[in-house]
Amino acid sequence: MSLNHSPETHTKLIARVPTITGRELPEWFQAIDNGPSFLRCDERANWLADEHGLTHGYAAAIVHEHERFRHNRTGFL
């Protein structure tokens, strides 16, 4: 599974997350933070999809956005 969507596709997926999933991004970020400590993004996306019934596209987009948020918050990029 690829975690790389085009920037346009990623933006559209992220914008639809609350409508499709019923949860806002901060809630998904908390689920990732409280979930298993996987090192790889694809492992986190697979876990998120399996554990919460998301499609892999949405799970990958949420994980990617979580990584961007973490990197911006800690000053890494």
Side-chain angles (χ1 to χ4, degrees):
M1 174 185 73
S2 172
L3 293 182
N4 298 319
H5 296 111
S6 71
E8 181 180 330
T9 299
H10 177 77
T11 300
K12 288 178 181 180
L13 285 170
I14 290 302
R16 289 191 300 243
V17 164
T19 303
I20 298 296
T21 67
R23 295 171 76 177
E24 297 291 330
L25 281 176
E27 294 176 72
W28 287 115
F29 293 171
Q30 185 175 14
I32 293 169
D33 290 339
N34 293 335
S37 298
F38 294 117
L39 295 177
R40 296 177 30 188
C41 288
D42 61 334
E43 292 173 324
R44 277 184 244 135
N46 286 334
W47 171 80
L48 201 61
D50 294 343
E51 186 73 17
H52 296 281
L54 299 173
T55 65
H56 285 284
Y58 280 106
I62 292 167
V63 168
H64 179 72
E65 196 67 16
H66 179 257
E67 285 297 302
R68 288 177 48 178
F69 177 78
R70 278 189 38 216
H71 286 267
N72 287 338
R73 183 177 61 193
T74 60
F76 297 111
L77 193 57

Coordinates of all heavy atoms in Angstrom, one line a residue:
M1 N 0.8 -1.2 0.0 CA 0.0 0.0 0.0 C 0.9 1.2 0.0 O 1.8 1.3 0.8 CB -0.9 0.0 1.3 CG -1.7 1.3 1.4 SD -2.6 1.3 2.9 CE -1.3 1.6 4.1
S2 N 0.6 2.2 -0.8 CA 1.3 3.4 -0.9 C 0.7 4.4 0.0 O -0.6 4.6 0.0 CB 1.3 3.9 -2.3 OG 1.9 5.2 -2.4
L3 N 1.5 5.2 0.7 CA 1.0 6.3 1.5 C 1.1 7.6 0.8 O 0.8 8.6 1.4 CB 1.8 6.4 2.8 CG 1.6 5.2 3.8 CD1 2.4 5.5 5.1 CD2 0.2 5.0 4.2
N4 N 1.5 7.6 -0.4 CA 1.7 8.8 -1.2 C 0.5 9.1 -2.1 O 0.4 8.4 -3.1 CB 3.0 8.7 -2.0 CG 4.2 8.5 -1.1 OD1 4.3 9.2 -0.1 ND2 5.1 7.7 -1.5
H5 N -0.3 10.0 -1.7 CA -1.3 10.5 -2.6 C -0.8 11.8 -3.2 O 0.1 12.5 -2.6 CB -2.6 10.9 -1.8 CG -3.2 9.7 -1.1 ND1 -3.2 9.5 0.2 CD2 -3.9 8.6 -1.6 CE1 -3.9 8.4 0.5 NE2 -4.2 7.8 -0.6
S6 N -1.4 12.3 -4.3 CA -1.0 13.6 -4.8 C -1.5 14.6 -3.8 O -2.4 14.3 -3.0 CB -1.7 13.8 -6.2 OG -3.1 14.0 -6.0
P7 N -0.8 15.8 -3.8 CA -1.3 16.8 -2.8 C -2.8 17.1 -2.9 O -3.4 17.3 -1.9 CB -0.4 18.0 -3.2 CG 0.8 17.4 -3.8 CD 0.3 16.2 -4.5
E8 N -3.3 17.2 -4.1 CA -4.7 17.5 -4.3 C -5.6 16.4 -3.7 O -6.6 16.7 -3.0 CB -5.0 17.6 -5.8 CG -6.4 18.0 -6.1 CD -6.7 18.1 -7.6 OE1 -5.8 18.5 -8.4 OE2 -7.8 17.8 -8.0
T9 N -5.2 15.1 -4.0 CA -6.0 14.0 -3.5 C -5.9 14.0 -1.9 O -7.0 13.8 -1.3 CB -5.5 12.7 -4.0 OG1 -5.7 12.7 -5.5 CG2 -6.3 11.5 -3.5
H10 N -4.8 14.2 -1.4 CA -4.6 14.2 0.1 C -5.5 15.3 0.7 O -6.2 15.0 1.7 CB -3.1 14.5 0.4 CG -2.9 14.5 1.9 ND1 -2.9 13.4 2.7 CD2 -2.7 15.6 2.7 CE1 -2.7 13.8 4.0 NE2 -2.6 15.1 4.0
T11 N -5.4 16.5 0.1 CA -6.3 17.6 0.6 C -7.7 17.3 0.6 O -8.5 17.5 1.6 CB -6.0 18.9 -0.2 OG1 -4.6 19.2 -0.1 CG2 -6.8 20.0 0.3
K12 N -8.2 16.6 -0.5 CA -9.6 16.3 -0.6 C -10.0 15.2 0.4 O -11.0 15.2 1.0 CB -9.9 15.8 -2.0 CG -9.9 16.9 -3.0 CD -10.2 16.4 -4.4 CE -10.2 17.5 -5.4 NZ -10.5 17.0 -6.8
L13 N -9.1 14.2 0.6 CA -9.4 13.1 1.6 C -9.5 13.7 3.0 O -10.4 13.4 3.7 CB -8.3 12.1 1.5 CG -8.3 11.1 0.3 CD1 -7.0 10.3 0.3 CD2 -9.5 10.2 0.4
I14 N -8.5 14.5 3.3 CA -8.5 15.1 4.7 C -9.7 16.0 4.9 O -10.3 15.9 6.0 CB -7.2 15.9 4.9 CG1 -6.0 14.9 5.0 CG2 -7.2 16.8 6.2 CD1 -6.1 13.9 6.1
A15 N -10.1 16.7 3.9 CA -11.3 17.6 4.1 C -12.6 16.7 4.3 O -13.5 17.2 5.0 CB -11.5 18.4 2.8
R16 N -12.6 15.5 3.8 CA -13.8 14.7 3.9 C -13.7 13.8 5.2 O -14.7 13.1 5.5 CB -14.0 13.8 2.7 CG -14.4 14.6 1.5 CD -14.8 13.7 0.4 NE -13.8 12.8 -0.1 CZ -13.2 12.8 -1.3 NH1 -13.6 13.7 -2.2 NH2 -12.3 12.0 -1.6
V17 N -12.6 13.7 5.9 CA -12.5 12.8 7.0 C -13.6 12.9 8.0 O -14.3 11.9 8.4 CB -11.1 12.9 7.7 CG1 -11.1 12.3 9.1 CG2 -10.0 12.2 6.8
P18 N -13.9 14.2 8.5 CA -15.0 14.3 9.5 C -16.3 13.8 9.0 O -17.1 13.1 9.7 CB -15.0 15.8 9.8 CG -13.7 16.3 9.4 CD -13.3 15.4 8.3
T19 N -16.7 14.1 7.7 CA -17.9 13.7 7.2 C -18.0 12.1 7.0 O -19.0 11.5 7.4 CB -18.2 14.3 5.8 OG1 -18.1 15.7 6.0 CG2 -19.5 14.0 5.2
I20 N -17.0 11.6 6.5 CA -16.9 10.1 6.2 C -16.8 9.3 7.5 O -17.5 8.3 7.6 CB -15.8 9.8 5.2 CG1 -16.0 10.5 3.9 CG2 -15.6 8.3 5.1 CD1 -17.2 10.1 3.1
T21 N -16.0 9.7 8.4 CA -15.7 8.9 9.6 C -16.5 9.3 10.8 O -16.6 8.5 11.8 CB -14.2 9.0 10.0 OG1 -13.9 10.4 10.4 CG2 -13.3 8.7 8.8
G22 N -17.0 10.5 10.8 CA -17.8 11.0 12.0 C -16.8 11.5 13.1 O -17.3 11.7 14.3
R23 N -15.6 11.6 12.9 CA -14.6 12.0 13.8 C -13.7 13.1 13.2 O -13.3 13.0 12.1 CB -13.7 10.8 14.3 CG -14.5 9.8 15.0 CD -13.7 8.5 15.3 NE -12.8 8.7 16.4 CZ -12.0 7.8 16.9 NH1 -12.0 6.5 16.4 NH2 -11.1 8.0 17.9
E24 N -13.3 14.0 14.0 CA -12.4 15.1 13.6 C -11.0 14.6 13.6 O -10.6 13.6 14.3 CB -12.5 16.3 14.5 CG -13.9 17.0 14.5 CD -14.3 17.6 13.1 OE1 -13.3 18.1 12.4 OE2 -15.5 17.7 12.8
L25 N -10.1 15.3 12.9 CA -8.7 14.9 12.9 C -8.0 14.8 14.2 O -7.3 13.8 14.5 CB -7.9 15.8 12.0 CG -8.0 15.5 10.5 CD1 -7.2 16.6 9.7 CD2 -7.5 14.2 10.1
P26 N -8.2 15.7 15.2 CA -7.6 15.6 16.5 C -8.0 14.2 17.2 O -7.2 13.7 17.9 CB -8.1 16.8 17.3 CG -8.3 17.8 16.2 CD -8.9 17.0 15.0
E27 N -9.2 13.8 17.0 CA -9.6 12.5 17.6 C -8.8 11.4 16.9 O -8.4 10.4 17.6 CB -11.1 12.3 17.3 CG -12.0 13.3 18.1 CD -13.4 13.0 17.8 OE1 -14.0 12.0 18.2 OE2 -14.0 13.9 17.0
W28 N -8.6 11.4 15.6 CA -7.8 10.4 14.9 C -6.4 10.4 15.4 O -5.7 9.4 15.6 CB -7.9 10.5 13.4 CG -9.3 10.1 12.9 CD1 -10.2 10.8 12.3 CD2 -9.8 8.7 13.0 NE1 -11.3 10.1 12.0 CE2 -11.1 8.8 12.4 CE3 -9.3 7.5 13.5 CZ2 -11.9 7.6 12.4 CZ3 -10.2 6.4 13.4 CH2 -11.4 6.5 12.9
F29 N -5.8 11.7 15.6 CA -4.5 11.8 16.0 C -4.3 11.2 17.4 O -3.3 10.5 17.7 CB -4.0 13.3 16.0 CG -4.0 13.9 14.7 CD1 -3.8 15.3 14.6 CD2 -4.1 13.2 13.5 CE1 -3.7 15.9 13.4 CE2 -4.0 13.9 12.3 CZ -3.8 15.2 12.2
Q30 N -5.3 11.4 18.3 CA -5.3 10.8 19.6 C -5.3 9.3 19.5 O -4.6 8.6 20.3 CB -6.4 11.3 20.5 CG -6.3 10.9 21.9 CD -7.4 11.5 22.7 OE1 -8.4 12.1 22.2 NE2 -7.3 11.4 24.0
A31 N -6.1 8.7 18.6 CA -6.2 7.3 18.5 C -4.9 6.7 18.0 O -4.4 5.7 18.5 CB -7.3 6.9 17.4
I32 N -4.2 7.4 17.1 CA -2.9 7.0 16.7 C -1.9 7.1 17.8 O -1.1 6.1 18.0 CB -2.4 7.8 15.5 CG1 -3.3 7.6 14.2 CG2 -0.9 7.6 15.2 CD1 -3.0 8.5 13.1
D33 N -1.9 8.2 18.5 CA -1.0 8.4 19.7 C -1.2 7.3 20.8 O -0.2 6.9 21.4 CB -1.1 9.8 20.3 CG -0.6 10.8 19.4 OD1 0.3 10.6 18.5 OD2 -1.0 12.0 19.6
N34 N -2.4 6.9 21.0 CA -2.8 5.9 22.0 C -2.7 4.5 21.5 O -2.8 3.6 22.3 CB -4.1 6.2 22.6 CG -4.2 7.5 23.4 OD1 -3.2 8.0 23.9 ND2 -5.4 8.1 23.4
G35 N -2.5 4.3 20.2 CA -2.5 3.0 19.6 C -1.1 2.3 19.8 O -0.2 2.9 20.4
P36 N -0.9 1.2 19.1 CA 0.4 0.5 19.1 C 1.5 1.4 18.6 O 1.3 2.3 17.8 CB 0.2 -0.7 18.2 CG -1.3 -0.8 18.1 CD -1.9 0.5 18.3
S37 N 2.7 1.2 19.1 CA 3.9 2.0 18.8 C 4.6 1.5 17.5 O 5.7 1.0 17.6 CB 4.9 2.1 19.9 OG 4.3 2.7 21.0
F38 N 3.9 1.6 16.4 CA 4.5 1.1 15.1 C 5.5 2.2 14.7 O 5.3 3.4 14.8 CB 3.4 0.9 14.0 CG 2.5 -0.2 14.3 CD1 1.1 0.1 14.5 CD2 2.9 -1.5 14.4 CE1 0.2 -0.9 14.7 CE2 2.0 -2.5 14.6 CZ 0.6 -2.2 14.8
L39 N 6.6 1.7 14.1 CA 7.6 2.6 13.6 C 7.3 3.1 12.2 O 7.7 4.2 11.9 CB 9.0 1.9 13.6 CG 9.5 1.6 15.0 CD1 10.9 0.8 14.8 CD2 9.7 2.8 15.8
R40 N 6.7 2.3 11.4 CA 6.4 2.7 10.0 C 5.0 3.2 9.8 O 4.1 2.7 10.4 CB 6.7 1.4 9.1 CG 8.1 1.0 9.1 CD 8.4 -0.3 8.3 NE 7.5 -0.4 7.2 CZ 7.4 -1.4 6.4 NH1 8.2 -2.5 6.7 NH2 6.6 -1.5 5.4
C41 N 4.9 4.2 8.9 CA 3.6 4.8 8.6 C 2.6 3.8 8.0 O 1.5 3.8 8.4 CB 3.8 6.0 7.6 SG 4.5 7.4 8.4
D42 N 3.1 2.9 7.2 CA 2.2 1.9 6.6 C 1.7 0.9 7.6 O 0.5 0.5 7.5 CB 2.9 1.2 5.4 CG 4.1 0.3 5.8 OD1 4.7 0.7 6.8 OD2 4.4 -0.6 5.0
E43 N 2.5 0.6 8.6 CA 1.9 -0.2 9.7 C 0.9 0.5 10.5 O -0.2 -0.1 10.9 CB 3.1 -0.6 10.7 CG 4.1 -1.5 10.1 CD 5.3 -1.7 11.0 OE1 5.7 -0.8 11.7 OE2 5.8 -2.8 11.0
R44 N 1.1 1.8 10.8 CA 0.0 2.6 11.5 C -1.2 2.7 10.6 O -2.3 2.6 11.2 CB 0.6 4.0 11.8 CG 1.4 4.0 13.0 CD 1.8 5.4 13.4 NE 3.3 5.4 13.3 CZ 4.0 6.3 12.7 NH1 3.5 7.3 12.2 NH2 5.3 6.1 12.7
A45 N -1.1 2.9 9.3 CA -2.3 3.0 8.4 C -3.0 1.7 8.4 O -4.2 1.7 8.5 CB -1.8 3.4 7.0
N46 N -2.3 0.6 8.3 CA -2.9 -0.7 8.3 C -3.7 -1.0 9.6 O -4.8 -1.5 9.6 CB -1.9 -1.9 8.1 CG -1.5 -1.9 6.7 OD1 -2.1 -1.5 5.7 ND2 -0.3 -2.5 6.5
W47 N -3.1 -0.6 10.7 CA -3.7 -0.8 12.0 C -5.0 0.1 12.1 O -6.0 -0.4 12.6 CB -2.7 -0.4 13.2 CG -3.4 -0.3 14.5 CD1 -3.8 -1.4 15.3 CD2 -3.9 0.8 15.2 NE1 -4.4 -0.9 16.4 CE2 -4.5 0.4 16.3 CE3 -3.9 2.2 14.8 CZ2 -5.1 1.3 17.2 CZ3 -4.5 3.1 15.7 CH2 -5.1 2.7 16.9
L48 N -4.8 1.3 11.7 CA -6.0 2.3 11.8 C -7.1 1.8 10.9 O -8.3 1.8 11.4 CB -5.5 3.6 11.3 CG -6.3 4.9 11.7 CD1 -6.4 5.0 13.2 CD2 -5.8 6.1 11.1
A49 N -6.8 1.3 9.7 CA -7.9 0.7 8.8 C -8.5 -0.5 9.5 O -9.7 -0.6 9.5 CB -7.3 0.4 7.5
D50 N -7.7 -1.4 9.9 CA -8.2 -2.6 10.5 C -9.0 -2.4 11.8 O -10.1 -3.0 12.0 CB -7.1 -3.7 10.7 CG -6.5 -4.1 9.5 OD1 -7.1 -4.0 8.4 OD2 -5.4 -4.7 9.5
E51 N -8.4 -1.6 12.7 CA -9.0 -1.4 14.0 C -10.3 -0.5 14.0 O -11.2 -0.8 14.8 CB -8.0 -0.7 14.9 CG -8.4 -0.5 16.3 CD -8.4 -1.8 17.1 OE1 -7.7 -2.8 16.7 OE2 -9.0 -1.8 18.2
H52 N -10.3 0.4 13.0 CA -11.5 1.4 13.0 C -12.3 1.3 11.8 O -13.2 2.1 11.6 CB -10.9 2.8 13.2 CG -10.2 3.0 14.5 ND1 -10.9 3.2 15.7 CD2 -8.9 3.0 14.9 CE1 -10.1 3.4 16.7 NE2 -8.9 3.2 16.2
G53 N -12.1 0.3 10.9 CA -12.9 0.0 9.8 C -12.8 1.1 8.7 O -13.8 1.3 8.0
L54 N -11.7 1.7 8.6 CA -11.5 2.8 7.6 C -11.0 2.1 6.3 O -10.4 1.0 6.3 CB -10.4 3.8 8.0 CG -10.8 4.6 9.3 CD1 -9.5 5.4 9.6 CD2 -12.0 5.5 9.0
T55 N -11.2 2.8 5.2 CA -10.5 2.3 3.9 C -9.1 2.7 4.1 O -8.7 3.6 4.9 CB -11.1 3.0 2.7 OG1 -10.8 4.4 2.8 CG2 -12.6 2.8 2.5
H56 N -8.2 2.0 3.4 CA -6.8 2.2 3.5 C -6.4 3.6 3.0 O -5.5 4.3 3.4 CB -6.0 1.2 2.8 CG -5.9 -0.1 3.5 ND1 -5.1 -0.3 4.6 CD2 -6.7 -1.3 3.4 CE1 -5.3 -1.5 5.2 NE2 -6.3 -2.1 4.4
G57 N -7.2 4.2 2.0 CA -7.0 5.5 1.5 C -7.1 6.6 2.6 O -6.3 7.4 2.8
Y58 N -8.2 6.5 3.3 CA -8.4 7.4 4.4 C -7.5 7.2 5.6 O -6.9 8.1 6.2 CB -9.9 7.4 4.9 CG -10.8 8.1 4.1 CD1 -11.7 7.4 3.2 CD2 -10.9 9.5 4.0 CE1 -12.6 8.1 2.4 CE2 -11.7 10.2 3.2 CZ -12.6 9.5 2.4 OH -13.4 10.2 1.6
A59 N -7.2 6.0 5.9 CA -6.2 5.7 7.0 C -4.9 6.2 6.6 O -4.2 6.8 7.5 CB -6.2 4.1 7.2
A60 N -4.4 6.0 5.4 CA -3.1 6.5 5.0 C -3.1 8.0 5.0 O -2.1 8.6 5.5 CB -2.8 6.0 3.6
A61 N -4.2 8.7 4.6 CA -4.2 10.1 4.6 C -4.2 10.7 6.0 O -3.5 11.7 6.3 CB -5.5 10.6 3.9
I62 N -4.9 10.0 7.0 CA -4.9 10.4 8.4 C -3.5 10.3 9.0 O -3.0 11.2 9.7 CB -5.9 9.7 9.2 CG1 -7.3 10.1 8.7 CG2 -5.8 9.9 10.7 CD1 -8.4 9.2 9.2
V63 N -2.8 9.2 8.7 CA -1.5 8.9 9.2 C -0.5 9.9 8.7 O 0.3 10.5 9.4 CB -1.0 7.5 8.9 CG1 0.5 7.3 9.2 CG2 -1.8 6.5 9.7
H64 N -0.6 10.2 7.4 CA 0.3 11.2 6.7 C 0.1 12.6 7.4 O 1.0 13.3 7.7 CB 0.0 11.3 5.2 CG 0.9 12.3 4.5 ND1 2.2 12.1 4.3 CD2 0.6 13.5 4.0 CE1 2.7 13.1 3.7 NE2 1.7 14.0 3.5
E65 N -1.2 13.0 7.6 CA -1.5 14.3 8.2 C -1.0 14.3 9.6 O -0.5 15.3 10.1 CB -3.0 14.5 8.1 CG -3.4 15.9 8.4 CD -2.9 16.9 7.3 OE1 -2.5 16.5 6.2 OE2 -2.9 18.1 7.6
H66 N -1.1 13.2 10.4 CA -0.6 13.1 11.7 C 0.9 13.3 11.7 O 1.4 14.0 12.6 CB -1.0 11.7 12.3 CG -0.5 11.5 13.7 ND1 0.6 10.7 14.0 CD2 -0.9 11.9 14.9 CE1 0.8 10.7 15.3 NE2 -0.1 11.4 15.9
E67 N 1.6 12.7 10.8 CA 3.1 12.9 10.7 C 3.4 14.3 10.4 O 4.3 14.9 11.0 CB 3.7 12.0 9.6 CG 3.7 10.5 10.0 CD 4.7 10.3 11.2 OE1 5.9 10.7 11.1 OE2 4.2 9.8 12.2
R68 N 2.7 14.9 9.5 CA 2.9 16.4 9.2 C 2.7 17.2 10.5 O 3.5 18.1 10.8 CB 2.0 16.8 8.1 CG 2.4 16.3 6.7 CD 1.5 16.7 5.7 NE 1.2 18.2 5.7 CZ 0.5 18.8 4.9 NH1 -0.1 18.2 3.9 NH2 0.3 20.1 5.1
F69 N 1.6 16.9 11.2 CA 1.3 17.7 12.4 C 2.4 17.5 13.4 O 2.9 18.5 14.1 CB 0.0 17.2 13.0 CG -0.4 17.8 14.3 CD1 -0.9 19.1 14.3 CD2 -0.2 17.2 15.5 CE1 -1.2 19.7 15.5 CE2 -0.6 17.7 16.7 CZ -1.1 19.0 16.7
R70 N 2.9 16.2 13.7 CA 3.9 16.0 14.6 C 5.2 16.7 14.3 O 5.9 17.2 15.1 CB 4.2 14.5 14.7 CG 3.3 13.7 15.6 CD 3.7 12.3 15.8 NE 5.1 12.2 15.9 CZ 5.9 11.2 15.4 NH1 5.3 10.2 14.8 NH2 7.2 11.1 15.5
H71 N 5.6 16.6 13.0 CA 6.8 17.2 12.5 C 6.8 18.8 12.7 O 7.7 19.4 13.1 CB 7.2 16.9 11.1 CG 7.6 15.5 11.0 ND1 9.0 15.1 11.0 CD2 7.0 14.3 10.8 CE1 9.1 13.8 10.9 NE2 7.9 13.3 10.8
N72 N 5.6 19.3 12.4 CA 5.5 20.8 12.6 C 5.5 21.2 14.0 O 6.0 22.2 14.4 CB 4.2 21.3 11.9 CG 4.3 21.3 10.4 OD1 5.4 21.3 9.8 ND2 3.2 21.2 9.7
R73 N 4.9 20.4 14.9 CA 4.8 20.6 16.3 C 6.2 20.6 17.0 O 6.5 21.3 17.9 CB 3.9 19.7 17.0 CG 3.6 19.9 18.4 CD 2.6 19.0 19.0 NE 3.1 17.6 18.8 CZ 2.4 16.5 19.0 NH1 1.1 16.6 19.4 NH2 2.8 15.3 18.9
T74 N 7.0 19.6 16.5 CA 8.3 19.4 17.1 C 9.5 20.1 16.4 O 10.6 20.1 16.8 CB 8.7 17.9 17.2 OG1 8.7 17.4 15.8 CG2 7.7 17.2 18.0
G75 N 9.2 20.8 15.3 CA 10.2 21.5 14.5 C 10.9 20.7 13.5 O 11.9 21.2 12.9
F76 N 10.6 19.4 13.3 CA 11.2 18.6 12.3 C 10.4 18.7 11.0 O 9.2 18.7 11.0 CB 11.3 17.2 12.8 CG 12.1 16.9 14.0 CD1 11.5 16.6 15.2 CD2 13.4 17.1 14.0 CE1 12.2 16.3 16.3 CE2 14.2 16.9 15.1 CZ 13.6 16.5 16.3
L77 N 11.1 18.7 9.9 CA 10.5 18.6 8.6 C 11.5 18.4 7.5 O 12.6 18.6 7.5 CB 9.7 19.8 8.3 CG 8.7 19.7 7.2 CD1 7.7 18.6 7.4 CD2 8.0 21.0 6.9

